């Protein structure tokens, strides 16, 4: 978490005890994980460790965008990070390194949250319900990512998955995992405030928003509408009046931010451990290749927007220049110079490319301080509109929420939508795409609404709705887990 010291807790998963010599039979200097959680500080430190894996979700965001029809992989050449190129082309396999990273990092987050819950009753202190509520949100968040990417996955609640357990834990149907996610988020919403004293901490609003999204992914429209409208009516959030400032580093955790992943440039990282970075790695990957000019810094030219998504913006939509940087026009206006990489389109994801002014500690491209706006209030409004419309609950209220977003985009009400039924559904889909472009949501929106096969080149129905379980994970589990269809 930004401005919060991270205490890492290393947990031994197994002990080798084949030797019987007395000289090796000595107590370890390291604290045994079973003897932990003796004070509030222990719980808080473990909670910070569970938060820490949020920073590794930079890969989920970047790869989720590349998998959609919004962007191309880009990079230096066709062999630059092959796993990213494969996802872009829909030719990824069970040995894709980036997909294994998502699997491993999300399970690390689950295990850290479950570690707290495993010992939830060991020590009492004032405010423990808040700690448990945050841990349960984090567990829900990581499991939701796993279900989105891989479908049915190995599942444990209130206990760590330790070495050897993989032989006895099967893949659990995602409906059962969703049920636990819902329980965790309801508990979190009931036990957390709307405003925390420390920015970046999980809130009641974040819990309600994620719960609404989880309902929407299951087509539970009445449930989604109820929780999202409660948040809209009673939460402290609103649309930021000036969209152009939304993603600047001096405007983080603003009134529109319902849940934001905190990053900092105060601790460097290298390619040997990307998940160790306290900075937003995706920002460097998204950056302009060999850039020299004002406002921005260089990067690796991955995740480049395509002309199709640029054309999706309507005339007069003021969000376009904030969302997508036209590098040719920018260079003409400012005198900036730049290089071109693989699949160069002339566009960059302006929301998440590196800005001038950070500390450039370590590898500068891996330690950018740009926070990820994981759930914005605009997303909440559009999810509520979709639930109300697709659930045949109220097209009038759906129009109201949709038009709140559009009125900011155009600066007036002249472009408000009055359609109903299926036409309103399409208008909401359009709005989600242009409002949230570059934020990693579009691929999963296409999949959950059944539109992916008609929109994404190379997408095969019955296969690409899910990504493959990493082959090495199946092998380590004794080949007991069945691979996802088509892989």
């Amino acid at each position: 978490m930004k401005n919060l010291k991270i205490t890492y807790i290393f947990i031994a998963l197994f002990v080798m005890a084949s030797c019987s010599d007395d000289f090796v039979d000595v107590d370890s200097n390291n604290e045994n994980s079973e003897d932990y959680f003796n004070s509030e500080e222990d719980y808080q430190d473990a909670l910070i460790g569970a938060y820490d894996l949020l920073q590794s979700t930079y890969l989920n965001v970047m790869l989720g965008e590349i998998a959609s029809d919004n962007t191309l992989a880009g990079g230096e050449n066709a062999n630059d990070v092959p796993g990213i190129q494969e996802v872009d082309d829909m030719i990824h396999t069970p040995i894709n390194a980036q997909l294994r990273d998502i699997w491993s990092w999300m399970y690390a987050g689950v295990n850290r949250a479950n570690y707290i819950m495993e010992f939830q009753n060991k020590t009492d202190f004032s405010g423990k319900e808040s700690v448990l509520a945050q841990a349960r949100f984090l567990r829900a968040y990581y499991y939701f990512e796993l279900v989105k990417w891989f479908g049915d996955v190995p599942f444990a609640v209130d206990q760590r998955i330790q070495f050897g357990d993989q032989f006895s834990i099967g893949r659990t149907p995602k409906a059962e995992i969703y049920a636990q996610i819902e329980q965790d988020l309801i508990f979190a919403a009931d036990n957390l405030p709307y405003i925390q004293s420390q920015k970046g901490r999980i809130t009641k609003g974040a819990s309600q928003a994620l719960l609404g999204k989880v309902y929407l992914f299951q087509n539970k429209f009445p449930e989604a509408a109820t929780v999202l409208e409660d948040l809209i009516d009673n939460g402290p959030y609103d649309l930021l009046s000036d969209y152009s400032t939304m993603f600047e580093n001096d405007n983080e955790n603003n009134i529109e931010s319902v849940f934001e992943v905190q990053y900092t440039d105060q601790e460097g990282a290298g390619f040997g451990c990307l998940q160790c970075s306290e900075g937003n790695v995706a920002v460097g990957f998204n950056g302009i290749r060999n850039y020299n000019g004002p406002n921005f810094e260089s990067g690796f030219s991955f995740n480049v927007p395509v002309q199709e998504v640029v054309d999706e913006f309507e005339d007069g939509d003021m969000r376009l220049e904030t969302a997508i940087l036209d590098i040719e026009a920018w260079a003409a206006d400012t005198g900036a110079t730049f290089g071109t990489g693989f699949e160069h389109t002339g566009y960059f994801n302006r929301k998440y490319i590196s800005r001038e002014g950070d500390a450039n500690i370590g590898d500068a491209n891996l330690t950018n301080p740009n926070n990820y706006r994981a759930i914005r209030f605009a997303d909440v409004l559009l999810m509520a509109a979709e639930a109300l419309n697709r659930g045949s609950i109220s097209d009038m209220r759906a129009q109201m929420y949709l038009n709140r977003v559009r009125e900011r985009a155009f600066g007036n009400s002249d472009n408000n939508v009055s359609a109903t039924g299926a036409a309103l559904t399409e208008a909401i889909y359009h709005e989600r795409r242009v409002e949230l472009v570059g934020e990693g949501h579009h691929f999963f929106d296409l999949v959950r609404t059944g539109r992916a096969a008609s929109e994404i080149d190379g997408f095969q129905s019955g296969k690409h709705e899910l990504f493959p379980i990493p082959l090495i994970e199946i092998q380590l589990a004794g080949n007991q887990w069945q691979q996802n269809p088509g892989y």
Side-chain angles (χ1 to χ4, degrees):
M1 297 173 66
K2 187 170 288 188
N3 300 322
L4 189 64
K5 183 179 179 181
I6 304 295
T7 301
Y8 294 96
I9 302 165
F10 294 94
I11 305 165
L13 296 183
F14 64 99
V15 177
M16 293 185 293
S18 59
C19 298
S20 59
D21 301 271
D22 290 341
F23 73 90
V24 298
D25 188 17
V26 295
D27 292 336
S28 170
N29 291 324
N30 296 321
E31 189 168 12
N32 190 311
S33 63
E34 307 299 316
D35 297 331
Y36 201 65
F37 295 111
N38 299 308
S39 66
E40 177 183 358
E41 183 179 8
D42 287 348
Y43 282 88
Q44 293 288 358
D45 285 348
L47 182 61
I48 293 169
Y51 269 98
D52 193 50
L53 268 297
L54 288 173
Q55 293 172 333
S56 72
T57 58
Y58 79 85
L59 182 58
N60 307 42
V61 177
M62 183 176 69
L63 207 58
E65 194 72 11
I66 289 169
S68 79
D69 55 339
N70 280 347
T71 67
L72 299 175
E76 183 176 13
N77 54 55
N79 297 312
D80 196 358
V81 192
I84 294 178
Q85 306 293 339
E86 290 166 6
V87 169
D88 182 27
D89 296 332
M90 288 286 130
I91 57 172
H92 44 273
T93 71
I95 59 172
N96 185 291
Q98 280 61 51
L99 294 175
R100 192 191 180 196
D101 284 342
I102 291 175
W103 174 281
S104 301
W105 297 345
M106 294 306 95
Y107 268 113
V110 166
N111 242 24
R112 292 188 186 189
N114 267 336
Y115 181 41
I116 298 168
M117 298 307 299
E118 184 175 337
F119 293 93
Q120 60 183 297
N121 297 319
K122 186 175 181 183
T123 302
D124 287 327
F125 56 90
S126 177
K128 188 169 76 168
E129 290 301 301
S130 174
V131 171
L132 299 182
Q134 292 173 72
R136 291 183 68 169
F137 174 98
L138 290 167
R139 179 171 65 190
Y141 193 92
Y142 297 131
Y143 266 134
F144 183 46
E145 288 298 312
L146 286 163
V147 169
K148 278 166 51 181
W149 285 85
F150 304 106
D152 302 345
V153 295
F155 183 56
V157 179
D158 295 353
Q159 62 181 22
R160 290 160 291 170
I161 301 176
Q162 303 205 64
F163 184 80
D165 291 345
Q166 71 271 21
F167 299 116
S168 59
I169 297 178
R171 293 181 65 184
T172 298
K174 65 180 182 180
E176 183 177 333
I177 301 173
Y178 271 132
Q180 182 62 48
I181 290 172
E182 291 171 12
Q183 291 178 32
D184 283 345
L185 294 174
I186 290 169
F187 180 89
D190 288 343
N191 288 278
L192 291 172
Y194 273 124
I195 298 175
Q196 291 273 25
S197 59
Q198 186 177 38
K199 291 186 184 301
R201 291 274 184 178
I202 294 151
T203 63
K204 178 183 181 71
S207 305
Q208 289 180 302
L210 185 57
L211 178 60
K213 181 166 286 191
V214 168
Y215 285 142
L216 202 59
F217 267 67
Q218 301 172 83
N219 291 336
K220 293 183 175 180
F221 301 123
E223 294 90 337
T226 297
V227 69
L228 293 169
E229 287 198 286
D230 181 77
L231 174 58
I232 291 167
D233 293 339
N234 299 303
Y237 312 104
D238 201 353
L239 293 178
L240 194 66
S241 58
D242 185 357
Y243 187 84
S244 70
T245 67
M246 178 74 67
F247 301 94
E248 298 306 315
N249 292 347
D250 60 357
N251 197 25
E252 296 174 331
N253 301 300
N254 58 56
I255 195 170
E256 187 164 336
S257 177
V258 181
F259 182 55
E260 193 158 312
V261 177
Q262 310 295 302
Y263 288 101
T264 177
D265 57 359
Q266 297 304 305
E267 186 172 342
F271 283 92
C273 185
L274 289 173
Q275 76 274 25
C276 298
S277 180
E278 298 296 318
N280 191 336
V281 174
V283 167
F285 270 74
N286 293 343
I288 309 161
R289 183 167 291 273
N290 299 325
Y291 179 77
N292 185 17
N295 291 27
F296 307 112
E297 293 182 345
S298 287
F300 303 133
S301 67
F302 281 88
N303 198 18
V304 290
V306 297
Q307 187 66 49
E308 178 193 328
V309 76
V310 174
D311 294 342
E312 186 77 10
F313 286 83
E314 301 163 65
D315 290 342
D317 189 335
M318 296 183 292
R319 292 171 294 192
L320 175 58
E321 291 187 0
T322 297
I324 296 173
L325 176 66
D326 181 336
I327 190 62
E328 301 283 353
W330 177 260
D333 288 343
T334 65
T337 60
F338 62 92
T340 58
F342 179 58
E343 298 180 316
H344 178 69
T345 64
Y347 301 112
F348 290 90
N349 177 4
R350 194 184 188 283
K351 292 178 178 178
Y352 292 110
I353 54 176
S354 53
R355 271 70 168 164
E356 288 182 330
D358 60 278
N360 288 326
I361 294 173
D363 189 314
N365 285 312
L366 306 180
T367 51
N368 290 283
N370 313 52
N371 284 1
Y372 172 55
R373 284 68 165 170
I375 306 177
R376 294 195 285 114
F377 189 60
D379 190 3
V380 171
L381 290 170
L382 294 175
M383 286 192 293
E386 182 180 339
L388 290 164
N389 165 249
R390 295 185 64 203
S392 300
I393 300 167
S394 172
D395 277 357
M396 183 177 296
R397 296 208 303 278
Q399 291 169 4
M400 179 176 65
Y401 298 138
L402 170 63
N403 287 329
R404 280 183 68 176
V405 177
R406 288 181 64 80
E407 285 175 15
R408 177 180 65 177
F410 292 93
N412 55 55
S413 59
D414 295 345
N415 296 275
N416 282 9
V417 171
S418 58
T420 60
L424 178 56
T425 306
E426 291 301 318
I428 294 168
Y429 290 161
H430 159 79
E431 205 64 30
R432 285 191 62 81
R433 187 179 189 186
V434 294
E435 174 67 32
L436 302 172
V437 62
E439 300 178 50
H441 303 296
H442 188 51
F443 174 81
F444 298 102
D445 279 349
L446 291 175
V447 168
R448 69 178 176 80
T449 57
R451 296 175 291 144
S454 62
E455 299 294 333
I456 301 173
D457 290 342
F459 188 99
Q460 298 177 35
S461 296
K463 176 180 180 179
H464 288 132
E465 289 84 358
L466 298 174
F467 292 86
I469 305 294
L471 178 61
I472 185 64
E473 302 294 341
I474 293 177
Q475 292 171 335
L476 290 172
N479 294 304
Q480 64 150 326
W481 299 337
Q482 190 173 26
Q483 183 57 269
N484 281 328
Y487 297 102

